[in-house]
């Protein structure tokens, strides 16, 4: 699946939030990934500036693999990815026919935009926009068919902000897919087991015991 996985694996073992020296050395790495018949060329700009936004994390690859295995239909769907980092999940959704908005904090947008340009053909429906949870989700519509996120549940003070953002973005008949490394030290489980079910019908779609990665599917209650 990945042609340069060893470096990614070592980065993925790093514990959130990052320590000051974790990404002290700046360098760029380009990796290729194969999903749904597409070859994705993803550039990662490691360094202190991007920090945890730089790598392709294992949870993102798990989510892409899940979409491939389930043959999820993105055609004609309005899709948004949160905390995209490299944008790999949203890029795959766009290549599969989705009308995709790929979001992260402003510092990550240049990396995402470069990866979109490298992978999505001219005329493809993928736009890159800044989104800070809990602050400016209101400028985005509230009718997305699919809301995607990979390894974005790791900083407990952001949990209420993320929850509010998900509630706003997910349309009445929309579906949320979140892939996450289940880190006990960051109380990731509490978000999925205690907070999200207060507002959404939650299903554990996939569990990878070896990698300790869960993929959750959530829909509005009664939806």
């Amino acid at each position: 699946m990945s042609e340069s996985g060893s470096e990614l694996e070592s980065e993925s073992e790093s514990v959130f939030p990052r320590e000051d020296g974790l990404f002290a050395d700046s360098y760029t790495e380009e990796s290729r990934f194969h999903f749904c018949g597409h070859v994705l060329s993803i550039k990662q700009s490691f360094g202190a500036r991007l920090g945890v936004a730089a790598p392709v994390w294992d949870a993102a690859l798990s989510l892409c693999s899940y979409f491939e295995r389930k043959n999820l239909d993105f055609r004609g769907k309005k899709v948004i990815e949160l905390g995209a980092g490299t944008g790999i999940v949203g890029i795959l959704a766009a290549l599969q026919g989705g009308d995709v908005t790929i979001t992260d904090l402003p510092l990550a947008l240049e990396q995402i935009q470069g990866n979109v340009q490298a992978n999505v053909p001219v005329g493809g429906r993928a736009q890159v926009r800044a989104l800070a949870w809990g602050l400016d989700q209101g400028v985005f519509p509230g009718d997305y068919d699919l809301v995607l996120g990979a390894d974005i549940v790791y900083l407990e003070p952001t949990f209420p902000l993320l929850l509010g953002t998900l509630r706003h973005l997910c349309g009445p008949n929309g579906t949320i897919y979140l892939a996450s490394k289940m880190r006990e030290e960051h109380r990731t489980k509490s978000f999925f087991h205690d907070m999200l079910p207060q507002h959404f019908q939650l299903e554990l779609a996939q569990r990878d015991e070896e990698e300790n990665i869960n993929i959750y599917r959530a829909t509005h209650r009664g939806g």
Side-chain angles (χ1 to χ4, degrees), residues 26 30 48 53 65 99 106 121 125 135 141 146 204 209:
S26 297
E30 189 168 334
S65 294
D99 181 0
R125 308 188 73 176
L135 295 178
L146 294 168
L204 178 60
E209 288 286 350

Side-chain angles (χ1 to χ4, degrees), residues 32-149:
R32 296 177 190 271
F33 303 91
H34 301 258
F35 295 108
C36 304
H38 306 287
V39 179
L40 306 183
S41 180
I42 302 295
K43 184 174 289 186
Q44 303 149 91
S45 301
F46 294 99
R49 181 173 177 272
L50 285 183
V52 296
V56 175
W57 296 100
D58 288 339
L61 300 180
S62 292
L63 192 55
C64 289
S65 294
Y66 175 83
F67 292 154
E68 179 177 49
R69 189 168 58 260
K70 295 295 184 180
N71 195 25
L72 194 69
D73 188 7
F74 288 96
R75 292 172 298 176
K77 299 290 178 63
K78 189 173 181 178
V79 184
I80 188 167
E81 182 186 4
L82 305 181
T86 63
I88 186 172
V89 174
I91 288 169
L92 180 61
L95 292 174
Q96 290 293 96
D99 181 0
V100 184
T101 301
I102 305 175
T103 72
D104 207 323
L105 295 175
L107 61 82
L109 298 189
E110 182 179 354
Q111 173 172 267
I112 297 170
Q113 188 64 58
N115 285 329
V116 168
Q117 292 173 352
N119 290 279
V120 180
V122 175
R125 308 188 73 176
Q127 61 173 315
V128 179
R129 295 179 61 183
L131 171 55
W133 308 336
L135 295 178
D136 53 10
Q137 69 267 18
V139 305
F140 290 79
D143 60 350
Y144 286 96
D145 299 306
L146 294 168
V147 182
L148 313 177

Side-chain angles (χ1 to χ4, degrees), residues 148-169:
L148 313 177
D151 235 346
I152 61 175
V153 182
Y154 60 85
L155 197 56
E156 191 171 5
T158 69
F159 290 179
L161 307 178
L162 175 57
L163 180 60
T165 300
L166 292 171
R167 293 182 66 193
H168 171 76
L169 295 174

Side-chain angles (χ1 to χ4, degrees), residues 173-215:
N173 298 309
T175 302
I176 299 168
Y177 287 97
L178 297 177
S180 187
K181 195 94 161 179
M182 302 303 292
R183 300 177 177 87
E184 291 185 13
E185 67 271 24
H186 299 302
R187 294 181 52 81
T188 304
K189 184 176 179 180
S190 71
F191 177 82
F192 289 107
H193 288 206
D194 301 328
M195 297 183 69
L196 207 55
Q198 293 180 26
H199 302 282
F200 293 95
Q201 188 70 38
L202 192 65
E203 170 193 354
L204 178 60
Q206 177 179 290
R207 167 70 181 163
D208 185 333
E209 288 286 350
E210 183 177 347
E211 297 294 338
N212 192 28
I213 293 173
N214 288 357
I215 296 177

